[in-house]
Amino acid sequence: MDRKLIGVDLGGTTIKFAILTDAGEVQQKWSVETNILDEGSHIVPDIVESINHHIDLYNMNKDQFIGIGMGTPGTVDRENGTVVGAYNLNWKTTQHVKADIEAGTGIKFTMDNDANVAGLGERWKGAGENGTNVSFVTLGTGIGGGLIADGQLLHGIAGAAGEIGHVTVEPNGYLCTCGKRGCLEQYASATGVVHVARDMAEEFSGDSELKRQTDDGQDITSKLVFDLAKSGDTLAVRVVDKVCYYLGLALGNLANTLNPESIVIGGGVSAAGDYLLKQVDHYFQEFAFTTVRNSTSLKLARLGNDAGIIGAASLALSFN
Ligand SMILES: [Zn+2]
């Protein structure tokens, strides 16, 4: 009998699901909207119902499944199978996710933090090429990370390992949501890029479309900044250079600490592609010391939105 995995990627707007082979090949994929009403109390029942419904729909048998793995926002207690503080899900109190999903589906369940899980996905089937030392950084609205060292996902004593977004890149710099100043997230996330662009526009006096649009009070996005930079806009080029300097600094020091074979860069900002990668790498080379420079390489993520479901499913391989 073919052994299957279920991967679940729980987010604030959608819940993505996939059925995969034990080799990580996605066979079925679907998603439902996340219903965060009533303190998020519908979320776990909705997950249970959706999984049961699709197993029936595909005429599959629960015995076929090695397990369910899930990536979730918030702080995960892996021992107890609970999640706390997932504010975008309206989960303010401790949620007994594992117990409820196992009871509802009859299938073994395990979970981890969403950024860790995306890192596992890129490591297994994406740019990490199943390496034993892979670091993953996601540049989205915020910045998250997942670190795999000597084959193991690092969690740290309080589950905060891999929080690359809060690495200090500018002492006394921008105030971060974590309460600290100068965090990478404030400079190189999608919102960080816009913040840098607005501040640099204020001081810039030359000819620039980015400056015109900023001064006009138009909506600036990180995509616009990168697009204008690619077309040679003087201010946008300087903004991107600054953002890449901070990324190169943070990733250089990450590599000096962990010496992974690759650092995989994903998330919305990474859509800028090789243009971004080349410039981050320029600074990375400057901040990584020789052994690291010669053995750690930067790569763009390959799985896009599927990194979460694939990495989540890989967690369930531990039941094999
Ligand atoms: Zn911070």
Side-chain angles (χ1 to χ4, degrees):
M1 189 168 60
D2 283 357
R3 302 281 281 158
K4 310 282 191 206
L5 303 164
I6 294 178
V8 183
D9 181 4
L10 173 56
T13 51
T14 60
I15 311 171
K16 300 186 191 77
F17 298 84
I19 294 174
L20 301 88
T21 66
D22 57 3
E25 189 190 323
V26 176
Q27 295 194 310
Q28 308 285 351
K29 219 164 55 159
W30 71 96
S31 67
V32 300
E33 265 179 58
T34 312
N35 179 0
I36 61 167
L37 295 176
D38 306 316
E39 304 211 330
S41 61
H42 304 285
I43 294 172
V44 168
D46 286 353
I47 290 170
V48 167
E49 198 209 295
S50 193
I51 288 173
N52 288 339
H53 172 69
H54 281 80
I55 289 173
D56 280 348
L57 190 68
Y58 302 130
N59 285 317
M60 298 175 90
N61 185 326
K62 286 188 175 176
D63 298 338
Q64 276 177 272
F65 291 94
I66 297 166
I68 302 167
M70 185 170 90
T72 175
T75 306
V76 176
D77 181 333
R78 289 175 303 128
E79 296 260 291
N80 296 309
T82 58
V83 180
V84 73
Y87 298 101
N88 60 341
L89 303 176
N90 273 341
W91 281 356
K92 290 157 194 153
T93 56
T94 301
Q95 306 288 315
H96 299 271
V97 177
K98 177 182 163 78
D100 290 352
I101 291 181
E102 287 188 340
T105 62
I107 302 171
K108 283 184 185 167
F109 176 88
T110 179
M111 68 185 155
D112 211 312
N113 164 275
D114 45 13
N116 284 346
V117 156
L120 284 176
E122 281 293 342
R123 177 260 189 131
W124 190 24
K125 305 306 283 185
E129 293 172 347
N130 214 19
T132 48
N133 288 278
V134 176
S135 298
F136 173 72
V137 53
T138 175
L139 313 174
T141 324
I143 292 184
L147 308 176
I148 296 120
D150 296 339
Q152 296 295 318
L153 188 58
L154 300 184
H155 291 95
I157 196 70
E163 289 284 2
I164 300 161
H166 301 291
V167 166
T168 307
V169 292
E170 183 68 70
N172 304 314
Y174 294 162
L175 185 64
C176 183
T177 50
C178 73
K180 199 164 76 60
R181 284 193 177 272
C183 295
L184 178 67
E185 183 165 290
Q186 297 305 315
Y187 296 87
S189 64
T191 44
V193 171
V194 173
H195 192 172
V196 172
R198 287 195 186 284
D199 276 6
M200 289 181 77
E202 232 168 73
E203 290 168 14
F204 185 78
S205 56
D207 180 54
S208 156
E209 179 58 26
L210 178 59
K211 180 168 174 64
R212 265 191 296 281
Q213 294 201 23
T214 309
D215 291 352
D216 258 11
Q218 292 188 34
D219 241 357
I220 307 296
T221 62
S222 73
K223 182 179 185 306
L224 175 77
V225 173
F226 277 97
D227 286 348
L228 286 173
K230 283 177 187 174
S231 72
D233 183 280
T234 317
L235 172 61
V237 165
R238 287 188 199 176
V239 173
V240 167
D241 179 65
K242 189 160 186 176
V243 167
C244 290
Y245 165 84
Y246 288 127
L247 277 168
L249 173 62
L251 299 185
N253 284 329
L254 174 70
N256 290 339
T257 311
L258 288 175
N259 188 210
E261 52 203 81
S262 56
I263 297 179
V264 179
I265 304 172
V269 175
S270 75
D274 285 326
Y275 181 77
L276 170 80
L277 190 67
K278 222 180 132 199
Q279 296 183 68
V280 176
D281 196 53
H282 168 78
Y283 288 112
F284 177 79
Q285 300 291 326
E286 185 179 325
F287 292 115
F289 77 98
T290 312
T291 307
V292 167
R293 198 186 307 133
N294 293 335
S295 54
T296 297
S297 57
L298 303 185
K299 291 179 179 175
L300 291 169
R302 289 186 199 149
L303 300 179
N305 285 333
D306 285 352
I309 42 175
I310 292 172
S314 77
L315 288 174
L317 285 170
S318 63
F319 295 128
N320 214 345

